[in-house]
Amino acid sequence: MPQVSIIMPAYNACDRIGRTIRSVLDQSFTDLELIVVDDGSEDNTAAAAGEYAAADARVRVLSIPNGGPSAARNAGMAAASGTYLMFIDDDDVMMPQCLGQLADDAARAGAEVVLTGFEIIDRCTGKAIDYVCENPGVFGRAELGGELGRLYIANLLNQCWAKLYRTDFIRDSGLTFSDYRFGEDRLFIFDCLRKAEKVLVSPEKTYKYYVNTNGSLVNRFYDRKFEACCALDASINSLAEQLGAQNRENRDIFAYMFIKSVVSCMVTVFSDTCPFDRRGRRAYVRGILNDERVRSNAAVRYRQGLAGEVMRLVIRTRWIGLNLLVMRLVTVANRLLPALFIKIKHRK
């Protein structure tokens, strides 16, 4: 039985998957398995991964009908045989020599979940934004409540990667990814923190997440995105209540993170993938602005920078025309100043 199982959902990734696989296999730590889950790809992803499996017995390839990253990760978790498991996306890389230290640290601390830092890298310029844990340590449930808001605002709870999980903890707790195609990572992390007795926050960076700033950074339209945003807000507040962490600082942070996700919903009405005409866009935005959760969170002055405050005030007006105008300006900023846009979107 390997010490660590690494799960990689892969979709139409034959032209990029090799670098990602090599970043795992080139680790100095060798007691691992890599499970590549081909999510119904329409290219040669399975064959490309299969070449690595033929050359290295630590690589396994599963093929499933296309169901999205959540279904692929769930399939990988079901097949994992390692003591611990991790996730990696098919176009990112794992930092060298990180696995062995993480597994040793987790075992020493008796932690069910390990949170680590990472880098967001602009493929076009090579510039990186570092995200690291400013207050590392081992936190029990009582102590975790005091760190919850800071971990969330630092962008360390938004992704399932750059983390290590004890496999028996995941299975015994019945934890799986939801069928959302937005925010499913965060919901999974919140569920993990709800169940975990000990969480290790590591100062190490273990992951490189790549983005392209020469293309659109505005997400594709997703008809359940606002529903997912509301589920995230309900989940983080429920977790805070369970951990006794319902203080003013956390309330402000949660409100900011929710409003930021609401902006990402409304911006997508200008995506080429949005099916709405002008009337449909207005109806969609009206529904969001009139939602009670949006109205209550927009009333919180969370003091998280000028861009966040402007967005909060615009949403609070509930003026459909003004909100659509501002969201249109956001899409223009994305197109003309993508590097600045990503810094605001992924602010530390």
Side-chain angles (χ1 to χ4, degrees), residues 169-189:
F169 160 73
I170 294 294
R171 290 180 175 155
D172 292 347
S173 301
L175 297 172
T176 59
F177 287 84
S178 70
D179 65 350
Y180 287 122
R181 298 202 178 198
F182 171 82
E184 74 282 357
D185 288 41
R186 270 182 271 181
L187 288 171
F188 181 77
I189 298 300

Side-chain angles (χ1 to χ4, degrees), residues 219-234:
N219 295 330
R220 293 173 59 86
F221 181 83
Y222 173 45
D223 60 354
R224 296 182 66 197
K225 188 172 184 179
F226 180 62
E227 176 189 334
C229 291
C230 292
L232 287 167
D233 188 57

Side-chain angles (χ1 to χ4, degrees), residues 20-319:
T20 306
I21 292 176
R22 288 191 298 271
S23 78
V24 174
L25 299 182
D26 289 347
Q27 294 281 317
S28 58
F29 176 83
T30 60
D31 190 12
L32 61 86
E33 67 174 352
L34 173 62
I35 303 173
V36 180
V37 185
D38 175 39
D39 183 26
S41 296
E42 299 173 343
D43 65 359
N44 292 322
T45 294
E51 292 180 6
Y52 287 92
D56 193 320
R58 295 176 297 169
V59 181
R60 298 161 57 191
V61 181
L62 304 180
S63 293
I64 64 172
N66 180 250
S70 290
R73 290 175 184 138
N74 287 338
M77 287 195 297
S81 60
T83 304
Y84 297 96
L85 60 84
M86 296 184 74
F87 300 98
I88 187 170
D89 286 349
D90 61 25
D91 56 351
D92 299 330
V93 300
M94 194 169 285
M95 297 281 201
Q97 302 179 347
C98 68
L99 273 180
Q101 186 64 51
L102 278 183
D104 289 346
D105 289 347
R108 191 178 303 112
E112 296 97 342
V113 180
V114 181
L115 310 178
T116 79
F118 59 93
E119 293 179 358
I120 293 181
I121 301 176
D122 183 342
R123 291 186 188 276
C124 302
T125 66
K127 293 181 179 179
I129 304 174
D130 291 343
Y131 291 85
V132 293
C133 306
E134 296 181 354
N135 186 28
V138 180
F139 299 97
R141 297 185 64 77
E143 297 84 7
L144 182 62
E147 299 299 314
L148 186 62
R150 288 189 287 273
L151 289 170
Y152 197 21
I153 194 68
N155 204 29
L156 296 173
L157 302 182
N158 291 354
Q159 309 86 7
C160 63
W161 39 254
K163 295 166 181 66
L164 184 78
Y165 312 84
R166 206 175 70 209
T167 306
D168 62 355
F169 160 73
I170 294 294
R171 290 180 175 155
D172 292 347
S173 301
L175 297 172
T176 59
F177 287 84
S178 70
D179 65 350
Y180 287 122
R181 298 202 178 198
F182 171 82
E184 74 282 357
D185 288 41
R186 270 182 271 181
L187 288 171
F188 181 77
I189 298 300
F190 296 163
D191 285 345
C192 287
L193 298 183
R194 191 172 286 109
K195 300 284 188 177
E197 295 296 328
K198 284 188 179 180
V199 174
L200 171 60
V201 179
S202 170
E204 303 298 326
K205 291 187 297 181
T206 64
Y207 197 93
K208 294 185 179 183
Y209 169 62
Y210 288 86
V211 296
N212 290 315
T213 55
N214 63 346
S216 176
L217 294 171
V218 175
N219 295 330
R220 293 173 59 86
F221 181 83
Y222 173 45
D223 60 354
R224 296 182 66 197
K225 188 172 184 179
F226 180 62
E227 176 189 334
C229 291
C230 292
L232 287 167
D233 188 57
S235 184
I236 190 66
N237 279 282
S238 171
L239 175 59
E241 181 179 7
Q242 187 182 83
L243 296 176
Q246 290 179 302
N247 54 48
R248 170 64 185 273
E249 179 186 8
N250 282 347
R251 186 196 69 172
D252 291 358
I253 289 171
F254 300 159
Y256 165 74
M257 295 297 283
F258 176 68
I259 291 300
K260 190 165 77 163
S261 69
V262 168
V263 170
S264 76
C265 285
M266 294 197 291
V267 165
T268 62
V269 300
F270 295 107
S271 165
D272 292 340
T273 61
C274 180
F276 298 145
D277 58 13
R278 180 177 178 276
R279 180 176 295 180
R281 283 198 299 268
R282 290 182 65 86
Y284 178 75
V285 169
R286 181 186 297 110
I288 291 175
L289 296 176
N290 287 332
D291 183 88
E292 179 56 36
R293 188 179 296 272
V294 174
R295 293 167 64 180
S296 61
N297 278 287
V300 177
R301 187 178 181 187
Y302 37 69
R303 300 177 180 86
Q304 294 295 335
L306 179 60
E309 180 66 4
V310 169
M311 290 299 179
R312 180 188 75 85
L313 292 173
V314 169
I315 289 173
R316 194 178 183 190
T317 68
R318 295 167 57 197
W319 293 352

